[in-house]
Amino acid sequence: MTDPTDPAADPTVARKREKLIAAKEAWARSGRLLTGTTADPARDRLPPGQSLVQDWPVLDLGVQPEVTAAKFRLDIDGAVAHPLSLDLDAFMALPQAEDVSDIHCVTQWSRYDNRWVGVAAHILIDLVAPKDEARFVIFHAYDGYTTNVPRDRFERPDALLAHSWNGAPIAREHGGPVRVVIPSLYLWKSAKWVRRIEFSQVDRPGFWEQRGYHNHGDPWTEERYG
Ligand SMILES: Nc1nc2c(c(=O)[nH]1)N[C@H]1C(S)=C(S)[C@@H](COP(=O)(O)O)O[C@H]1N2
Ligand SMILES: [Mo]
């Protein structure tokens, strides 16, 4: 059954989406943009093969869900002691953190000094108390997107669930009202329009990870493709 209210059911949107996926799968197969070098985050600011941009490109599957404040829910569950379901008010009532970090996108652009405000990942982790064996985190988004990260990347102090960017609420096209920010991995690991955070004992490759992107995605060692 196709859902007439689902923009992805629109044949034009669906065709664009399929073309984008096919292009990215081909890039992954051909190793596009790989430089074969590494950089050291302690010494360098720009990871290998990246170029600096001033604007902020929008990348997604062509469907930007409208997640109203009333509709927003964030479930945190899986292998945790205390599963949690937050509405937007409950999310905003948690302690707020600010972090400035650089964005590195696998399609080669980097953007410096993004000022994020939101809830630090460790606050959420402390609330749900993941089991020791839950070594992976899988993010699920309102557009059906998924992506997986090792728990230790999500535990880093620079990881957060952000609602603001550079002093304003995150725009819908960039994943508002709430998106994931994990600066230590390529930006495809930072789910926009996040709906659910699942802690898991087993790693489960997400949308792009199943389509040729690297499972881990560290920009400093150029883990672009898997
Ligand atoms: N929900 C969702 N999150 C997503 C995506 C997506 O299609 N859906 N695309 C990912 C990819 S491939 C990239 S490069 C970044 C782009 O984020 P931006 O549009 O804010 O630059 O979002 C990531 N998070
Ligand atoms: Mo991307």
Side-chain angles (χ1 to χ4, degrees):
M1 274 291 278
T2 53
D3 172 2
T5 64
D6 175 6
D10 178 321
T12 313
V13 173
R15 244 190 327 271
K16 255 181 82 175
R17 179 186 165 112
E18 289 318 311
K19 274 178 80 169
L20 172 86
I21 292 169
K24 290 200 167 180
E25 286 177 327
W27 292 355
R29 279 194 303 274
S30 66
R32 182 178 180 268
L33 307 177
L34 283 177
T35 64
T37 58
T38 61
D40 175 3
R43 201 187 53 221
D44 307 308
R45 181 113 189 234
L46 204 57
Q50 296 294 109
S51 15
L52 192 59
V53 299
Q54 305 297 331
D55 59 344
W56 186 9
V58 173
L59 287 102
D60 50 51
L61 301 172
V63 177
Q64 298 172 342
E66 184 180 7
V67 184
T68 60
K71 190 164 101 176
F72 176 81
R73 287 290 179 291
L74 176 62
D75 294 339
I76 312 173
D77 57 20
V80 302
H82 310 293
L84 195 62
S85 181
L86 301 167
D87 62 16
L88 197 55
D89 286 342
F91 175 80
M92 298 300 279
L94 293 172
Q96 301 289 304
E98 186 177 291
D99 189 73
V100 178
S101 60
D102 299 342
I103 292 173
H104 307 297
C105 177
V106 70
T107 60
Q108 216 187 2
W109 55 270
S110 293
R111 192 186 185 291
Y112 290 163
D113 294 325
N114 301 278
R115 182 174 299 274
W116 305 104
V117 180
V119 178
H122 68 85
I123 296 281
L124 299 171
I125 292 169
D126 289 350
L127 282 172
V128 300
K131 302 185 173 147
D132 287 345
E133 57 271 27
R135 289 174 38 242
F136 303 95
V137 184
I138 297 146
F139 299 99
H140 303 256
Y142 274 96
D143 59 344
Y145 186 79
T146 56
T147 187
N148 58 313
V149 303
R151 172 171 159 185
D152 57 10
R153 293 290 175 143
F154 190 51
E155 280 174 332
R156 289 192 179 190
D158 60 0
L160 73 168
L161 279 276
H163 56 73
S164 292
W165 173 83
N166 287 4
I170 296 177
R172 172 173 167 183
E173 61 190 9
H174 285 299
V178 179
R179 79 172 294 163
V180 179
V181 178
I182 302 179
S184 64
L185 297 172
Y186 281 121
L187 189 61
W188 90 77
K189 297 289 192 179
S190 293
K192 310 202 278 190
W193 313 290
V194 64
R195 171 72 183 84
R196 177 177 174 220
I197 303 173
E198 179 192 1
F199 286 84
S200 177
Q201 293 184 39
V202 290
D203 197 9
R204 281 210 315 278
F207 184 88
W208 285 122
E209 292 84 2
Q210 292 169 34
R211 289 168 177 78
Y213 279 27
H214 200 284
N215 194 54
H216 187 230
D218 186 329
W220 297 97
T221 51
E222 252 197 320
E223 293 176 334
R224 295 181 194 273
Y225 312 116

